[in-house]
Amino acid sequence: MSTAVLTNRLDLDSVADSSLKAAARFWFVVTVIGQLMFAFAVASFYGLTALRGDFHGWSRFISRGYVSGDTLGNLAVVMHVGSAVGIMLAGALQLIPQIRNRFPAFHRWNGRIYMLTAVSLSIAGLYMTWIRGSVGDIFQHLGSSLNAVLIMLSAAMALRYALARDFKTHRRWALRLFLVASASWFLRLMFFLSLLLFGPVGFDPTTFRGPLLTFLSFASYLLPLAVLELYLRAQDRAGTLGRMATAVGLFVLTLAMVAGVFAVTMAIWVPQVKAAYDPRKSIAETLSATIASSGIDQATKQYHDLKAAEPATYNFDENELNSLGYQLIRSKKFKEAIRVFQLNVEAYPQSSNVYDSLAEGYMDDGNKPPAIANYQKSLELNPKNRGAVEMLRKLNAP
Ligand code: HEM
């Protein structure tokens, strides 16, 4: 082999190595930033609402957030979201090589905290899924439960190889643990990216069931685990082309993750942070308590009275009544949900979304004609509402 050919090969080889390293670094930076944003939104929302004593406000982002009298269930939610924040902070610190190499004692302690939070997060998640009850069907529940099992298994394996001082195998299990513990984050990215690109297809927005969510409840960890195995193989034994191809693939997937982080930030994290730092009282919260104690007529009167007397004290934003209506639908209180959505239509007559929700209330209550009329009105205000087109097709309407 001539010297020129050999030099070219060596050049290509080092380009492949640097590309793979750069792609991994890009992936890591996007993941850490995205997870810190998730942690910040969750800590701000659940933490600050709890400090204000507005525990019922949790139901805006979680189907069974705070339930009066269910001490164990409420503790499970606190343990779950608390561990979720802990695991994302500890995970980021654990994988940064500079910290790992310069502060080995910190790495060991942080690793123990990480494993402990992984186990408490999983146990609380299993309790919320199977005992307390949550959105989703049996297959989605099996998907998240397998996730919990893999989190605990990977934590045990990472610990075992660290204690045996087999750091190569420890590193592999630690990476697997990081990925399976990031499944919930990946799921949000994939779900909201799909929503941004294709609209509300593949799932039912009220029950959160459907083929897309079933697929994501497994793919959210199986896909990242498969990519990790490909990456580790490329690092160990792939040729120049293999490493180049892996680097390009990882780079493209990371770009998709950037789009996913953007989608979930706009859809969930910004509203969560806004709600966390909003000093106004939640009108949904107030009406929810009145519906439970005195019924929907009293709650409707209270809504009008408060809006007239204290418009700045309460939060009358569109999503307040909208989320209250969906909470009522989930509790099968369809008549109450319809009344709440009607109040929102009165307040926001130009919003396509409020008619869409009202239509859904009527549909779930088995009242087809007003469901069709409201889906049509929603479509008139927003011709891009693909969900309404789909529902009108199901209802055999023009
Ligand atoms: C892997 C890391 C996980 C993280 C970071 C995480 C984080 C969260 C967060 C922040 C919430 C509150 C909803 C929100 O504000 O977005 C939540 C809800 C929930 N999580 Fe997890 N979770 C993880 C894993 C799991 C696992 C493994 C299970 C099941 C075994 C599980 C079961 C649940 C359930 C049932 C809910 C309530 C959903 C609802 O009904 O609305 N989670 N999780």
Side-chain angles (χ1 to χ4, degrees):
M1 196 182 291
S2 76
T3 324
V5 173
L6 193 64
T7 317
N8 273 347
R9 277 221 177 144
L10 285 177
D11 278 355
L12 271 180
D13 223 38
S14 75
V15 169
D17 269 347
S18 328
S19 310
L20 199 57
K21 267 192 200 133
R25 214 168 284 153
F26 178 41
W27 177 87
F28 182 63
V29 169
V30 169
T31 305
V32 168
I33 293 176
Q35 296 205 350
L36 290 181
M37 284 160 72
F38 184 24
F40 178 69
V42 171
S44 303
F45 178 71
Y46 292 94
L48 291 179
T49 44
L51 278 181
R52 285 201 293 269
D54 177 16
F55 293 100
H56 283 102
W58 288 359
S59 333
R60 216 178 123 187
F61 292 99
I62 183 168
S63 69
R64 303 196 76 199
Y66 179 85
V67 179
S68 304
D70 179 13
T71 312
L72 206 58
N74 295 333
L75 274 177
V77 174
V78 171
M79 188 162 135
H80 190 71
V81 293
S83 307
V85 173
I87 208 165
M88 281 179 283
L89 295 179
L93 292 172
Q94 200 63 358
L95 290 193
I96 294 173
Q98 288 82 353
I99 297 185
R100 202 167 56 228
N101 297 336
R102 289 187 59 188
F103 307 103
F106 173 82
H107 180 74
R108 271 198 299 279
W109 273 106
N110 194 47
R112 285 172 192 143
I113 293 172
Y114 187 80
M115 288 181 194
L116 218 68
T117 45
V119 173
S120 66
L121 175 124
S122 304
I123 291 172
L126 287 170
Y127 181 88
M128 286 156 70
T129 304
W130 296 104
I131 298 175
R132 193 171 208 230
S134 145
V135 285
D137 63 16
I138 181 91
F139 296 108
Q140 286 163 246
H141 291 169
L142 287 173
S144 54
S145 301
L146 180 60
N147 182 203
V149 171
L150 289 177
I151 291 175
M152 291 190 277
L153 177 79
S154 310
M157 297 302 271
L159 182 64
R160 182 180 156 194
Y161 286 105
L163 293 176
R165 308 197 70 73
D166 175 354
F167 293 115
K168 189 162 187 268
T169 319
H170 165 71
R171 174 177 168 263
R172 285 181 177 246
W173 279 107
L175 286 172
R176 286 178 191 132
L177 171 59
F178 181 72
L179 290 184
V180 288
S182 302
S184 183
W185 179 79
F186 280 123
L187 190 144
R188 283 163 173 77
L189 260 57
M190 296 189 215
F191 174 69
F192 285 101
L193 184 59
S194 154
L195 205 62
L196 185 77
L197 295 177
F198 310 113
V201 286
F203 74 100
D204 174 342
T206 315
T207 57
F208 266 83
R209 293 176 179 191
L212 173 69
L213 286 163
T214 305
F215 168 75
L216 291 182
S217 57
F218 289 93
S220 54
Y221 49 92
L222 293 181
L223 224 86
L225 281 178
V227 174
L228 173 68
E229 292 311 315
L230 281 178
Y231 169 77
L232 292 175
R233 264 163 202 262
Q235 224 185 12
D236 277 0
R237 39 195 137 111
T240 312
L241 261 180
R243 269 172 293 154
M244 285 280 213
T246 310
V248 171
L250 192 56
F251 183 74
V252 172
L253 283 176
T254 309
L255 284 183
M257 280 168 48
V258 172
V261 169
F262 170 77
V264 71
T265 302
M266 300 318 285
I268 296 285
W269 297 335
V270 167
Q272 253 181 354
V273 171
K274 269 193 185 162
Y277 294 94
D278 190 338
R280 291 174 300 170
K281 291 186 195 165
S282 161
I283 188 67
E285 176 62 17
T286 311
L287 298 184
S288 168
T290 309
I291 293 171
S293 64
S294 323
I296 187 69
D297 288 335
Q298 194 55 36
T300 309
K301 183 178 174 315
Q302 184 185 31
Y303 173 80
H304 286 124
D305 290 349
L306 290 175
K307 203 165 181 188
E310 300 179 65
T313 313
Y314 288 85
N315 179 358
F316 289 102
D317 290 354
E318 181 186 324
N319 60 22
E320 282 281 310
L321 292 188
N322 206 51
S323 55
L324 173 60
Y326 276 108
Q327 268 174 47
L328 291 165
I329 286 187
R330 280 194 287 270
S331 323
K332 309 246 179 290
K333 292 184 175 167
F334 301 124
K335 300 273 185 268
E336 286 87 342
I338 290 169
R339 292 281 296 279
V340 166
F341 288 138
Q342 279 168 341
L343 287 178
N344 226 12
V345 163
E346 261 174 45
Y348 297 95
Q350 293 310 315
S351 157
S352 157
N353 187 42
V354 295
Y355 291 97
D356 188 285
S357 305
L358 178 57
E360 190 160 344
Y362 279 122
M363 199 180 72
D364 291 344
D365 196 34
N367 198 348
K368 258 173 86 170
I372 292 173
N374 281 289
Y375 275 130
Q376 283 169 338
K377 179 73 188 170
S378 169
L379 202 58
E380 192 186 307
L381 289 166
N382 175 16
K384 288 188 189 154
N385 185 352
R386 277 179 275 182
V389 174
E390 179 64 17
M391 296 319 286
L392 284 168
R393 200 181 50 75
K394 273 193 194 160
L395 290 163
N396 296 322

